[in-house]
Structure formats: C-alpha cells, structure tokens
Amino acid sequence: MVFISLGTSVGIIVGQLLGADKIEKAVDTDRKMIVFSIISGIVIGTIMFVLAPFIPEIYKTNDAVRALATNILKVGAAFMPVYAFYHAAYFTLRTGGKTVITFLFDSCYLLVVNLSLAFLLTRFTGIPVVEIYIIVQLAESLKCIVGFILLKKRVWVNNLVNEI
C-alpha cells in the first residue's frame, strides 16, 4: 500500500507540474520522489526483514509453516526497494500519458511472464517454493530496467493539458 500511495502522489504532484508547463521542475520533482520512494522501500524492507521471524508467531500453525512464512517475508522485504522503484516509475509514465506501456507491464507482464514462470517452475521442477518466489521476483527486474530506460529517455515528459 505504501508504494501505491507514493506512486499516486508522484502522479498527482508531477502531473500538476506538467499541466502547469513546468517541465524541468516536473522532471526534478519526479527524480526526487522516486529517490524518496526507494529510500522508503529500504526502510520498510529493513523493518519487515527484522520483524519477519515474529510475524508468523501470531498465527496458530506448525514450525515448518512459520519458517516458510518467515523466509517468504524476508524475500519480500529484500525486494521492497525494487517494488518502490517500479511503482514510482510506472506512475510517472502514466502521468505523462503512457498508459498503454503501463497496462502492458501491469497486466500483460504479470500474466505472460510471472504467472507462466511460476506455473512452469512449480509443475516441472523440484525447486523449493522460496527459491521459486525469488526467481519470480527477479523477473520483476526487467520491469525496472524498462522503466528506468523510459524515464531516462523522458518519454513521459508530456503536458497533456496542452495536447487537448
């Protein structure tokens, strides 16, 4: 929820600057907000990583399930900065009107890459579930790379108000 909220704030603040034709201020503000989002991801990820062994203790289950939950929470915590970056990057792209790109990476990528990869790994390999989770999360790195390239190329820098 934190990263979706931060992404929404990127969309609102940067969108207002783009609409006011303050292009360079929008680019600078976007960069700062993305850095803030990544730092938030590091902080939240660190807290989550530290608390991971304690969270499963609130549930009435066996030790094996608690250990599995702890490991999955730790993996999720380690990927928090990645989640933070790609949420902020894709909300930035949406702000500049690149909704097709974000649709492809939000929905299509999930269906084609993540679900297919998870399905194939669970059905046709003997890889343990935590390692499968890591592999599927690493597949998200491609979204970060593409997002970074698109941000660097400034394809999102569009004043949609002037285009109407």
Side-chain angles (χ1 to χ4, degrees), residues 43-56:
V43 170
I44 292 168
T46 301
I47 293 168
M48 188 170 145
F49 193 89
V50 170
L51 295 177
F54 306 106
I55 295 169

Side-chain angles (χ1 to χ4, degrees), residues 81-101:
V82 174
Y83 304 150
F85 173 76
Y86 77 69
H87 275 92
Y90 286 95
F91 273 92
T92 298
L93 293 169
R94 284 183 192 137
T95 299
K98 301 302 178 192
T99 54
V100 172
I101 293 170

Side-chain angles (χ1 to χ4, degrees), residues 1-10 91:
M1 292 307 300
V2 170
F3 305 120
I4 292 172
S5 299
L6 284 170
T8 301
S9 66
V10 167
F91 273 92

Side-chain angles (χ1 to χ4, degrees), residues 29-57:
T29 300
D30 183 65
R31 189 176 308 118
K32 289 174 182 172
M33 292 185 78
I34 289 174
V35 168
F36 176 74
S37 186
I38 294 169
I39 291 169
S40 297
I42 292 168
V43 170
I44 292 168
T46 301
I47 293 168
M48 188 170 145
F49 193 89
V50 170
L51 295 177
F54 306 106
I55 295 169
E57 293 297 325

